């Protein structure tokens, strides 16, 4: 089992950048595929980025492709989401999650086993 804690959310103007971090404990992050999700008020939780256990494979939702970058540091047991060119529609609670399954380009929300508590990202237009 892994405990996840997100940080780095906040208020930013449209066009700005934020970097989210997800810290894992105990220090066994390398065994999990990782994902970032977001949920806006009244909407379903959406998968926006995933990264494989070793970091070689990533996949992004079309809505964030080219603007967001997921990365991981298995030595420091952290996963990051660099968000650039933010838009008002990126406003949501952002969650990181871990999957015990081998990484897949077809991951869905239900494939993830452990979740952080979320961090709010608000983009003002």
């Amino acid at each position: 089992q892994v405990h996840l804690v997100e940080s780095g959310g906040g208020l930013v103007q449209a066009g700005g950048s934020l970097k989210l971090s997800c810290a894992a404990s105990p220090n066994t992050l390398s065994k999990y595929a990782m994902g970032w999700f977001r949920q806006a008020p009244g909407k379903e939780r959406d998968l926006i980025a995933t990264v494989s256990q070793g970091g070689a494979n990533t996949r992004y939702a079309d809505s964030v492709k080219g603007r967001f970058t997921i990365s991981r540091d298995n030595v420091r047991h952290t996963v990051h989401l660099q968000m650039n060119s933010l838009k008002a529609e990126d406003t949501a609670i952002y969650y990181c999650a871990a999957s015990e399954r081998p990484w897949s380009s077809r991951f869905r929300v239900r494939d993830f086993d452990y979740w952080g508590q979320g961090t709010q990202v608000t983009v003002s237009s």
Side-chain angles (χ1 to χ4, degrees), residues 4 19-32 34 36 51-56 58 69-81:
L4 304 171
K19 185 174 184 177
L20 305 183
S21 297
C22 174
S25 63
N27 298 332
T28 56
L29 189 67
S30 60
K31 49 187 294 194
Y32 301 99
M34 299 298 295
W36 282 97
V51 61
S52 59
Q53 279 78 348
T58 57
T69 302
I70 188 171
S71 62
R72 65 189 298 160
D73 184 340
N74 286 341
V75 173
R76 293 180 173 82
H77 312 288
T78 56
V79 180
H80 301 288
L81 185 70

Side-chain angles (χ1 to χ4, degrees), residues 84-116:
N84 299 328
S85 302
L86 283 161
K87 307 174 182 179
E89 51 263 43
D90 294 319
T91 295
I93 299 175
Y94 284 70
Y95 300 88
C96 72
S99 175
E100 295 179 332
R101 297 160 178 78
W103 181 84
S104 169
S105 62
R106 291 178 288 187
F107 265 148
R108 288 177 285 187
V109 174
R110 66 186 187 190
D111 294 322
F112 286 78
D113 306 290
Y114 307 106
W115 293 82

Side-chain angles (χ1 to χ4, degrees), residues 46-68:
D46 291 329
L47 174 60
I48 57 172
T50 63
V51 61
S52 59
Q53 279 78 348
N57 298 300
T58 57
R59 187 169 179 88
Y60 298 90
D62 288 343
S63 58
V64 306
K65 201 174 294 183
R67 300 188 298 123
F68 290 12

